Amino acid sequence: MPTRDEAFMQLALAQARQARADGEVPVGAVVVQGERVLGLGRNQPIARHDPTAHAEVMALRAAAHTLGNYRLDGCELFVTLEPCAMCSGAVLHARLDRVVYGAADPKTGAAGSVIDLFKTRRLNHQTTIAGGVLAEECGSLLADFFAHRRAITRQEGTPLREDALRTPEARFENLRGFPWEPRYLTDLPSAQGLRLHYVDEGPTDAPRVWLCLHGPQGWSYQFRDLIPAFLRAGHRVVAPDLAGFGRSDKPKREATHDMDWHLQLLRELVAHLDLRSVVVLQAAGLPLGKGLQLTEAARCEGLMALELRADAATQDAFEAPFPDRGHRAALRAFEGWVAPDDPIEPEEGAAAAARALSHYLEQAR
């Protein structure tokens, strides 16, 4: 039976794992008052372009919002890694009663490892510190993350640059008709540490899964009009961004983008999510769907193709992932191996396809 501290640290660990999935350093935090959870937080400095967006700060902000007060008297913070000086200062300003951390941080820890701000008696508030709760589990999560990054660096020969391989998140703000939560995978074997984005909506036990594969000049945004129709039918929708497209990381070498590699990534995604009863819905001109249907016959029930094109109203959204030539290596590579496919309907455009598939789904219910 876990202790109270261990139970709350498990909540922080869940946040840390989500940070890892987002490509951030895996640190998670939770603020509680008694047995009530007031705020959750995870590392988000990369996604938010904010050096202060540490897990502790995000949890403190959420808790203060919950209470409607910047003072957090009577509250405790549970965090998977020893707080740094910035976060320790925020804790003291918030006047928390207690901080519980998992793994010590010998490089920046400000609760005893490098310095100990909490033993500075001249400060006008004192916070109690307890360290080492689920330290091994918290430390292993961080160690595995950095070992994986070092392996990528060795393989590439030079350090990976986030701003060169990942489209700034600001490019995706306020997209019309695309409210779905972004999800990320960073541990597919063939991805070698690249972060892959996907949309995953609908019940996991749905009778059918629609795997939506965007075209060679697009990304998962192409399916914005179709996803609601699938969900109304009680089905599940998974719409990944292929490596080099959308919110996924973008290898800069065109030679990386061969069809066998992209097909293997899709197979690993399908296996990782354990997708079954899959209908592959692919944009015309993309041969990956046929390859997936052949190699994953036990999981795939069928294949459909349709034309999806940008119009004047959505052109900016289609261009959002590709701000400059460095982000377009996959687009250039795909020009050499795409193949035409017959559309599902003679009409072209996402709106026409949405009407046709919506009718089909209503009949299939």
Side-chain angles (χ1 to χ4, degrees):
M1 184 72 179
T3 66
R4 176 179 178 276
D5 285 358
E6 289 172 343
F8 283 126
M9 189 62 73
Q10 286 291 355
L11 293 180
L13 276 165
Q15 289 294 306
R17 294 186 186 100
Q18 182 60 57
R20 178 184 62 184
D22 293 343
E24 307 272 3
V25 175
V27 180
V30 55
V31 174
V32 304
Q33 187 178 60
E35 302 304 314
R36 179 190 178 194
V37 174
L38 299 179
L40 300 171
R42 63 182 184 272
N43 265 8
Q44 298 184 68
I46 295 173
R48 291 177 175 266
H49 310 291
D50 181 359
T52 72
H54 287 197
E56 301 95 313
V57 172
M58 302 307 294
L60 290 172
R61 289 173 179 169
H65 180 77
T66 299
L67 291 179
N69 194 336
Y70 72 104
R71 299 294 195 201
L72 301 178
D73 298 296
C75 297
E76 300 167 272
L77 171 74
F78 293 82
V79 59
T80 58
L81 182 66
E82 179 184 356
C84 67
M86 175 186 74
C87 295
S88 297
V91 164
L92 292 166
H93 280 294
R95 298 186 179 176
L96 270 72
D97 285 2
R98 184 170 178 253
V99 170
V100 180
Y101 69 83
D105 184 353
K107 293 185 177 180
T108 64
S113 291
V114 178
I115 58 174
D116 195 342
L117 292 179
F118 298 98
K119 286 187 177 179
T120 305
R121 299 303 173 190
R122 294 173 63 185
L123 294 174
N124 66 345
H125 178 77
Q126 304 300 314
T127 296
T128 302
I129 296 293
V133 175
L134 300 183
E136 183 175 353
E137 190 171 351
C138 295
S140 294
L141 191 63
L142 286 158
D144 291 347
F145 175 82
F146 286 112
H148 191 53
R149 278 201 166 181
R150 288 192 295 270
I152 298 168
T153 299
R154 286 194 298 271
Q155 184 171 359
E156 292 289 326
T158 56
L160 297 176
R161 289 185 51 164
E162 295 285 358
D163 61 343
L165 293 175
R166 185 168 297 166
T167 303
E169 195 62 27
R171 300 273 301 185
F172 301 104
E173 292 178 356
N174 302 317
L175 290 179
R176 184 172 64 88
F178 203 71
W180 297 285
E181 177 187 0
R183 302 175 187 271
Y184 298 97
L185 286 173
T186 59
D187 54 357
L188 296 183
S190 295
Q192 300 175 348
L194 293 174
R195 188 181 80 169
L196 299 181
H197 166 261
Y198 65 103
V199 172
D200 188 354
E201 298 292 330
T204 57
D205 60 349
R208 173 165 294 146
V209 178
W210 293 85
L211 180 63
C212 301
L213 304 182
H214 61 76
Q217 299 293 323
W219 57 293
S220 55
Y221 183 78
Q222 286 183 297
F223 296 97
R224 69 199 179 280
D225 292 332
L226 306 183
I227 294 175
F230 295 134
L231 298 180
R232 285 195 299 272
H235 296 175
R236 182 180 178 184
V237 187
V238 176
D241 289 332
L242 301 176
F245 295 86
R247 278 185 161 99
S248 290
D249 285 351
K250 299 171 177 62
K252 294 180 288 185
R253 300 172 185 171
E254 292 180 37
T256 302
H257 298 280
D258 66 83
M259 185 164 58
D260 289 341
W261 180 63
H262 279 278
L263 177 58
Q264 182 60 27
L265 285 176
L266 281 176
R267 294 182 64 189
E268 291 172 6
L269 172 71
V270 167
H272 181 88
L273 298 177
D274 194 24
L275 302 183
R276 300 180 186 277
S277 302
V278 174
V279 175
V280 180
L281 180 65
Q282 69 171 39
L286 188 73
L288 287 173
K290 291 181 178 178
L292 189 65
Q293 186 184 27
L294 289 172
T295 57
E296 299 292 338
R299 295 179 181 271
C300 294
E301 293 184 345
L303 171 67
M304 305 173 73
L306 69 159
E307 284 284 345
L308 294 173
R309 295 182 180 178
D311 55 31
T314 60
Q315 189 63 43
D316 288 346
F318 273 73
E319 292 292 325
F322 315 110
D324 55 44
R325 179 177 173 80
H327 290 79
R328 294 174 177 265
L331 278 70
R332 296 191 296 271
F334 272 40
E335 291 174 357
W337 55 268
V338 296
D341 258 319
D342 293 329
I344 190 173
E345 291 287 334
E347 298 177 273
E348 292 184 348
R355 290 194 297 272
L357 286 176
S358 181
H359 174 75
Y360 165 76
L361 290 169
E362 289 298 326
Q363 296 298 315
R365 292 185 68 174

